[in-house]
């Protein structure tokens, strides 16, 4: 195989910021994947990420219903000038329930709450976590633009949004980043947002680039997922589809072995190779996996291996939808074939 330059070489831009191509998604330190780690372990992971050169840290009001922002505030406030701090609004916990609310008055209030939890005077990158179908996106972004004018936020982003919505939002206020799920098995950005982001000068920040742990050395299985793990509600992890997806994963593992990298590194290199405006924010609770992920920045994965990986697993070969129908109905992104 012919080696190609490292996919992550050099910084990538998000609005006014330059950051390494791999940041840290902090959700699973407080939320979504079963029981969160003990605070001391989570704090150690964040400090190690700082030591390893991570500068983009991504959180949200939803994660742990504020607990994740509090965690980042405790650990990162002393290092505020070294990092790009990203959070999200418009999807929060209310009385123990997950609520989408993009009303201007809600976004203003939750921004102040986030600033207090994060122990900072300003959030570098503030995303609208979900587009509220009851509120025109122009109204939500207009309120967030006021936060920029007030100095509480430096740049705006969207999450789980379509190309059409991105263009509407960008017409109200420049959008620095679009955070959508993008991985070998979730190709929705290829239906429009990848191109639209490039045209508008918007960074595409890929969340779940390792397919929610599926493309790692220790993939979860339906029988091992904790009771409150969100993957229990995702068709790709259920007993109907998971065995077929594991067979695809086995083939990817063989490609990674032939390329001299781990499966996670192959998957991350593939995402970063899609375009120079693409970044990735894998999450992890493991220091070893954190270092494995960051090593991709200096890794030259052969182009033939990336091409082969993209053919083995894509929206046509994956088994099961990205989310269940109830969740898909909440999301503004383009659907992608059978994969949802």
């Amino acid at each position: 195989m012919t080696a190609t330059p490292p996919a992550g070489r050099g910084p990538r831009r998000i609005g006014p910021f330059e950051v390494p191509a791999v940041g840290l998604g902090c959700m699973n330190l407080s939320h979504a994947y079963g029981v969160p780690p003990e605070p001391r372990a989570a704090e150690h992971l964040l400090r190690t990420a700082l030591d390893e050169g991570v500068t983009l840290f991504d959180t949200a009001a939803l994660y742990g219903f504020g607990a994740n922002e509090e965690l980042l505030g405790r650990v990162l406030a002393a290092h505020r000038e070294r990092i790009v701090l990203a959070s999200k609004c418009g999807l929060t916990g209310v009385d123990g329930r997950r609520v989408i609310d993009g009303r201007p008055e809600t976004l203003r209030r939750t921004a102040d709450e986030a600033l207090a939890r994060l122990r900072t005077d300003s959030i570098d990158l503030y995303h609208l976590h979900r587009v509220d179908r009851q509120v025109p996106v122009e109204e939500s972004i207009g309120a967030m633009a006021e936060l920029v004018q007030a100095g509480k936020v430096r740049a705006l982003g969207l999450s789980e949004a379509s190309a059409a919505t991105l263009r509407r939002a960008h017409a109200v206020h420049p959008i620095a980043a679009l955070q959508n799920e993008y991985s070998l098995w979730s190709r929705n950005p290829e239906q429009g947002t990848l191109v639209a982001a490039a045209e508008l000068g918007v960074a595409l920040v890929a969340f779940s680039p390792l397919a929610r742990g599926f493309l790692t050395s220790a993939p979860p299985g339906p029988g091992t997922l904790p009771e409150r793990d969100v993957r229990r509600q995702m068709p790709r992890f259920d007993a109907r589809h998971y065995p077929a997806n594991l067979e695809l994963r086995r083939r990817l593992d063989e490609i990674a072995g032939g390329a001299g990298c781990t499966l996670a590194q192959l998957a991350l290199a593939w995402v970063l190779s899609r375009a120079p405006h693409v970044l990735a924010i894998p999450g992890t609770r493991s220091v070893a996996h954190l270092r494995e992920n960051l090593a991709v920045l200096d890794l030259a994965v052969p182009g033939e291996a990336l091409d082969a990986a993209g053919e083995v697993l894509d929206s046509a070969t994956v088994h099961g939808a990205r989310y269940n129908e109830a969740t898909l109905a909440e999301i503004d992104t383009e659907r992608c074939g059978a994969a949802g």
Side-chain angles (χ1 to χ4, degrees):
M1 294 185 178
T2 303
T4 57
R9 177 177 289 169
R12 299 195 180 187
R13 292 203 66 84
I14 301 181
F17 313 108
E18 281 195 347
V19 296
V22 176
L24 183 66
C26 299
M27 178 184 75
N28 65 2
L29 297 177
S30 307
H31 187 81
Y33 295 161
V35 179
E38 293 294 324
R40 183 176 297 180
E43 292 167 7
H44 176 64
L45 188 285
L46 291 173
R47 292 191 180 96
T48 302
L50 276 171
D51 292 341
E52 295 291 331
V54 173
T55 58
L56 175 61
F57 291 82
D58 181 86
T59 182
L62 177 71
Y63 302 160
F65 290 9
N68 199 246
E69 287 182 327
E70 291 176 353
L71 167 67
L72 267 64
R74 287 198 308 274
V75 176
L76 300 180
H79 309 280
R80 189 65 186 85
E81 299 304 315
R82 294 171 51 189
I83 66 172
V84 173
L85 183 60
S87 193
K88 309 181 195 71
C89 59
L91 179 58
T92 56
V94 179
D95 297 328
R97 296 184 301 112
R98 174 181 170 279
V99 174
I100 297 173
D101 187 349
R103 293 175 298 172
E105 59 269 29
T106 300
L107 302 184
R108 296 186 193 104
R109 174 176 53 79
T110 53
D112 287 337
E113 293 169 350
L115 289 166
R117 289 192 291 259
L118 291 165
R119 305 185 188 186
T120 186
D121 294 328
S122 65
I123 299 168
D124 294 317
L125 181 60
Y126 208 35
H127 297 84
L128 184 65
H129 203 162
R130 291 288 187 276
V131 176
D132 185 343
R133 297 191 184 280
Q134 306 305 313
V135 179
V137 72
E138 290 84 356
E139 291 186 17
S140 298
I141 295 300
M144 295 172 70
E146 294 174 5
L147 297 174
V148 176
Q149 294 164 4
K152 296 180 179 181
V153 171
R154 295 183 65 190
L156 300 184
L158 293 173
S159 179
E160 291 278 36
S162 66
T165 298
L166 172 62
R167 294 184 188 282
R168 287 171 58 193
H170 196 75
V172 175
H173 186 279
I175 300 299
L178 175 61
Q179 188 178 124
N180 281 356
E181 185 171 356
Y182 194 23
S183 67
L184 283 164
W185 79 358
S186 292
R187 304 293 191 92
N188 306 70
E190 295 172 4
Q191 302 301 304
T193 52
L194 189 64
V195 170
E199 291 175 354
L200 297 173
V202 175
L204 182 69
V205 180
F207 76 82
S208 296
L210 299 179
R212 300 185 181 275
F214 180 71
L215 298 175
T216 67
S217 58
T224 64
L225 292 173
E227 182 177 348
R228 295 188 178 181
D229 195 301
V230 296
R231 291 169 292 188
R232 291 172 67 96
Q233 305 301 318
M234 295 178 178
R236 292 175 183 176
F237 290 94
D238 69 29
R240 295 170 297 160
H241 302 298
Y242 201 65
N245 287 328
L246 281 176
E247 173 57 25
L248 296 173
R249 183 190 175 283
R250 182 192 63 78
R251 293 167 59 189
L252 290 172
D253 212 15
E254 292 178 351
I255 294 170
C261 63
T262 67
L263 177 56
Q265 290 168 343
L266 175 68
L268 281 173
W270 182 89
V271 169
L272 296 179
S273 71
R274 297 304 89 192
H277 66 294
V278 175
L279 301 91
I281 50 168
T284 185
R285 298 173 178 180
S286 161
V287 167
H289 289 166
L290 170 70
R291 289 174 173 147
E292 175 187 353
N293 294 342
L294 295 176
V296 78
L297 295 172
D298 298 312
L299 193 63
V301 178
E304 294 93 332
L306 299 176
D307 292 343
E311 292 172 1
V312 167
L313 183 58
D314 64 13
S315 58
T317 63
V318 69
H319 293 256
R322 186 162 73 102
Y323 291 119
N324 59 35
E325 283 299 323
T327 303
L328 285 173
E330 298 177 348
I331 292 173
D332 181 60
T333 52
E334 294 85 355
R335 295 204 183 189
C336 192

